[in-house]
Amino acid sequence: MLLIPAIDLKDGRCVRLRQGRMDDETVFSDDPVEMAGRWVRAGARRLHLVDLNGAFAGEPVNGEAIRGIAAAYPDLPIQVGGGIRDEATIDAYLQAGVSFCIIGTQAVKEPELVGRACRAFPGQIMVGLDAKDGQIAINGWAEITPHRVDELAKRFEGDGVAAIIYTDIGRDGMLNGPNVEATSALVRAVNTPVIASGGITTIADIRLLAEAADCGIVGAITGRAIYEGTLDFTAGQQLADRLRADDD
């Protein structure tokens, strides 16, 4: 299981929000490229970048910072979400060196976009499904929809997405542990790789997710915990690798 540091970008700075609220932020750095380097030096094998302003604006806002990170670490797989609403935006990010683009809100509003993008950019499209109590949230989590996570996941699996990123928004940024049960249930519902997100707090959480990885959890995104020090990133990745080696 791959442990993936999150770099959330707002107004060109690295921040973390509590449950997606733009007015409840903690600023961790004014230098996104340096922050990326911190996690690379700690052993990160992939980065998860989110354009928070873009998620609300519906178009890229922190593209300069994202391009800067991609240019600084051209051999590092980078996945980007936030404000991706069309194929032109996807193409621009991929041309800049991003490895994967994550379609979130627009996947719910315009599900046909996912199919078109998967055909145009095979193997490079992920879908972000953010949910509360199993219901999909969109527009920076400001709106809860009637759509169920498992139903949309099955649809996008048919489109050929590279992975589904599942976030329990009730856990995100709250440091109270991941929703392993809901994530595992999604994994059982689809064959597409699932990346867990939200609530990862301690090394014990990594163990829980890694032990569930046999059913298809291929990665775990972590943010506030590694910034505030409740989780040592290097130790977490080493544990996940060791548990995988033991299974093999």
Side-chain angles (χ1 to χ4, degrees):
M1 185 182 75
L2 198 62
L3 198 57
I4 309 170
I7 299 179
D8 291 356
L9 299 163
K10 180 173 182 263
D11 304 328
R13 302 183 296 178
C14 303
V15 309
R16 289 300 291 170
L17 306 182
R18 291 187 186 275
Q19 296 190 294
R21 295 192 296 267
M22 291 289 273
D23 60 351
D24 190 356
E25 69 176 54
T26 303
V27 178
F28 289 105
S29 174
D30 292 325
D31 189 340
V33 174
E34 171 53 33
M35 183 59 72
R38 171 183 172 182
W39 301 127
V40 170
R41 291 189 295 273
R45 301 199 290 268
R46 182 182 296 189
L47 294 177
H48 177 79
L49 309 185
V50 180
D51 184 343
L52 294 172
N53 300 103
F56 284 88
E59 61 183 11
V61 176
N62 291 282
E64 182 178 353
I66 292 168
R67 289 190 295 273
I69 293 171
Y73 301 99
D75 298 325
L76 182 71
I78 295 172
Q79 56 193 51
V80 172
I84 297 176
R85 303 288 195 266
D86 53 45
E87 292 98 320
T89 300
I90 295 169
D91 185 58
Y93 274 137
L94 297 179
Q95 291 292 334
V98 168
S99 303
F100 305 97
C101 285
I102 305 161
I103 306 176
T105 289
Q106 203 63 19
V108 180
K109 290 184 172 181
E110 186 191 352
E112 295 81 8
L113 171 63
V114 176
R116 295 198 307 269
C118 286
R119 290 190 293 273
F121 312 103
Q124 295 184 288
I125 303 300
M126 298 179 174
V127 166
L129 298 181
D130 306 335
K132 183 176 183 180
D133 300 325
Q135 303 293 125
I136 295 290
I138 59 173
N139 295 327
W141 304 350
E143 178 184 346
I144 304 296
T145 76
H147 299 290
R148 300 287 304 176
V149 171
D150 54 349
E151 294 170 353
L152 284 182
K154 290 176 182 177
R155 166 167 185 151
F156 298 135
E157 178 173 52
D159 289 322
V161 295
I164 295 168
I165 298 174
Y166 173 67
T167 303
D168 183 325
I169 66 175
R171 307 288 184 106
D172 189 76
M174 300 305 290
L175 299 180
N176 58 2
N179 192 333
V180 178
E181 181 179 356
T183 306
S184 297
L186 177 59
V187 167
R188 290 191 294 270
V190 297
N191 293 315
T192 299
V194 172
I195 297 173
S197 177
I200 297 169
T201 307
T202 67
I203 199 78
D205 295 330
I206 301 303
R207 182 177 294 277
L208 287 173
L209 284 168
E211 289 173 349
D214 283 347
C215 64
I217 301 175
V218 299
I221 296 167
T222 179
R224 183 174 291 274
I226 57 174
Y227 288 94
E228 295 191 350
T230 64
L231 172 64
D232 181 289
F233 177 83
T234 302
Q237 184 63 75
Q238 289 174 346
L239 174 62
D241 290 342
R242 188 164 62 251
L243 291 173
R244 179 57 183 263
D246 291 344
D247 288 341
D248 293 343

